[in-house]
Amino acid sequence: MEVFRKGFVPATSTNPADLATRGITVKVLQESDWLRGPSFLKSNSPTTSTIDESERDIDVNDPEVRQEVKDHATSTQRAFGLGSERFNRFSEWSTFQRAIAKLVMRTKRFKIKLEPQKSQHDHETTESGDNGGPTLDASKRAEILIIRTAQEEAFANEISVLQRRRGNEPESRQSLREKRTVLRKSSLFRLDPFLDKDGVFRVGKRIHRSDLGFEEKHPIILPKKHHVSELLVRHYHHKVYHQGRQITHGTLRQAGYWVVGGHGMVSRILNSCLTCRKLRGNMLTQHMANLPKDRIEPRPPFTSIRVDVSRNE
């Protein structure tokens, strides 16, 4: 490989760049090197020389020489489930639930294709509804899947403890002591949580014998400051037509959801709701204009007279 050294212009008269600073005629300009270029660039002149690249002396300690660094990093991450970080792409609960329900139905259809021995009933349950949307069963399964994903991320220690308790094997005193320690340190200790048949974290309490429905007696526990909890609060806030904090929170509880720190979350969402800020804003009062001069200066009677002329039809 040949490397060319930087050359120089032999004389000032042969430098075409100087022609722009001199006063010359058009005829001289046409015959000059301004349009053709200098002649020494077209021939091998002593101003340019070639050297072999191997003859160059490069000092490795020179700060101007960039050091060659090779770095290879490999990381492997294995993800299970949906991943709650994908939930932030949705801004409405109904749209979110519908999208996950369609995903559940497509997954079930794919499993049926892999297992042709499935019954006709299972194939019928995967069909869409009358309007082409997901079925009621798919929507319910999507709701359970979303809530379980959020709970497993926020209450991983508590769920692991309760899953061990559901096992049939007898537990040792040490394991029971560890479970008791984990639950007492948790913010859910007073709620007496348990896992239902679907693996959903619910409130226990002491109203098992009540005539209320199962969803009201044992509401689903939702984590604090989670995107799923915010979507549900906004959904029921719009459902009650932007009512206050008590009605919105009561409707959420009646629907079977218990948000940890729900009062604060509902208040925060209502404060950020544009419709509520417009409806509950302070009334504006009009600023009165200054009185005219003839009404504030003492004058004799009937000095200034105004008559309202109205047309009677």
Side-chain angles (χ1 to χ4, degrees):
M1 180 179 179
E2 294 183 347
V3 179
F4 291 88
R5 294 181 181 273
K6 292 183 179 180
F8 58 92
V9 179
T12 307
S13 59
T14 59
N15 187 5
D18 293 339
L19 297 176
T21 60
R22 301 172 183 173
I24 58 175
T25 61
V26 177
K27 183 177 180 181
V28 176
L29 180 63
Q30 292 177 351
E31 297 176 355
S32 64
D33 295 337
W34 178 265
L35 301 177
R36 301 183 183 87
S39 58
F40 64 85
L41 293 179
K42 302 177 183 179
S43 61
N44 292 329
S45 62
T47 57
T48 59
S49 61
T50 60
I51 59 174
D52 190 13
E53 188 177 7
S54 60
E55 297 179 0
R56 294 190 304 170
D57 296 332
I58 300 177
D59 187 7
V60 294
N61 297 324
D62 190 355
E64 298 294 334
V65 178
R66 179 178 296 179
Q67 301 293 333
E68 184 178 1
V69 179
K70 294 182 180 180
D71 189 9
H72 299 278
T74 304
S75 61
T76 304
Q77 184 177 4
R78 190 174 182 181
F80 298 92
L82 294 177
S84 61
E85 66 277 357
R86 303 176 184 176
F87 296 170
N88 298 329
R89 303 177 183 178
F90 297 90
S91 59
E92 294 183 1
W93 171 254
S94 57
T95 306
F96 183 28
Q97 186 180 8
R98 185 182 181 88
I100 301 299
K102 289 184 177 180
L103 179 62
V104 170
M105 294 177 62
R106 291 181 181 179
T107 304
K108 195 169 184 179
R109 290 196 192 103
F110 181 73
K111 290 182 179 179
I112 291 176
K113 290 181 180 180
L114 295 180
E115 300 177 5
Q117 295 83 9
K118 286 287 184 179
S119 62
Q120 184 67 20
H121 174 71
D122 293 339
H123 178 69
E124 291 176 356
T125 55
T126 59
E127 297 296 332
S128 301
D130 297 336
N131 56 352
T135 59
L136 181 61
D137 180 64
S139 300
K140 188 63 179 178
R141 292 180 59 188
E143 179 184 359
I144 294 175
L145 181 60
I146 294 170
I147 292 174
R148 285 187 57 181
T149 303
Q151 289 179 345
E152 289 173 358
E153 179 182 348
F155 312 123
N157 296 332
E158 293 84 349
I159 291 177
S160 62
V161 168
L162 293 178
Q163 285 177 347
R164 295 176 196 168
R165 182 180 294 181
R166 293 175 64 185
N168 297 326
E169 299 180 359
E171 297 178 331
S172 61
R173 291 185 178 180
Q174 183 177 0
S175 61
L176 289 174
R177 191 176 304 168
E178 292 177 357
K179 292 179 181 180
R180 195 175 302 167
T181 304
V182 172
L183 290 177
R184 284 185 177 180
K185 291 182 179 180
S186 174
S187 59
L188 310 178
F189 178 71
R190 296 181 179 273
L191 300 179
D192 190 20
F194 71 97
L195 292 175
D196 62 1
K197 60 180 181 179
D198 296 323
V200 179
F201 217 30
R202 292 183 178 271
V203 178
K205 291 296 183 180
R206 300 170 58 189
I207 55 176
H208 298 282
R209 300 177 182 177
S210 174
D211 295 334
L212 298 174
F214 181 78
E215 299 291 337
E216 295 185 52
K217 289 190 297 184
H218 306 290
I220 298 173
I221 302 176
L222 294 175
K224 184 179 181 181
K225 296 181 180 180
H226 198 277
H227 188 64
V228 174
S229 304
E230 294 182 1
L231 291 180
L232 282 169
V233 172
R234 290 197 189 100
H235 174 72
Y236 286 99
H237 177 57
H238 294 165
K239 197 171 183 179
V240 297
Y241 301 102
H242 298 273
Q243 295 292 333
R245 179 174 61 87
Q246 297 293 341
I247 297 179
T248 301
H249 199 193
T251 306
L252 186 67
R253 291 275 185 89
Q254 190 176 5
Y257 299 102
W258 183 290
V259 182
V260 179
H263 287 283
M265 174 172 284
V266 173
S267 299
R268 179 170 56 85
I269 291 178
L270 264 63
N271 291 334
S272 62
C273 180
L274 183 60
T275 304
C276 294
R277 295 181 66 178
K278 289 181 179 179
L279 295 176
R280 295 174 177 81
N282 297 328
M283 297 294 294
L284 299 179
T285 57
Q286 185 176 2
H287 184 70
M288 300 298 293
N290 293 327
L291 295 174
K293 187 176 181 180
D294 54 0
R295 294 184 60 182
I296 57 178
E297 290 184 354
R299 291 183 180 181
F302 305 104
T303 301
S304 299
I305 300 175
R306 290 180 174 83
V307 179
D308 293 335
V309 179
S310 60
R311 181 179 179 182
N312 297 326
E313 296 181 356

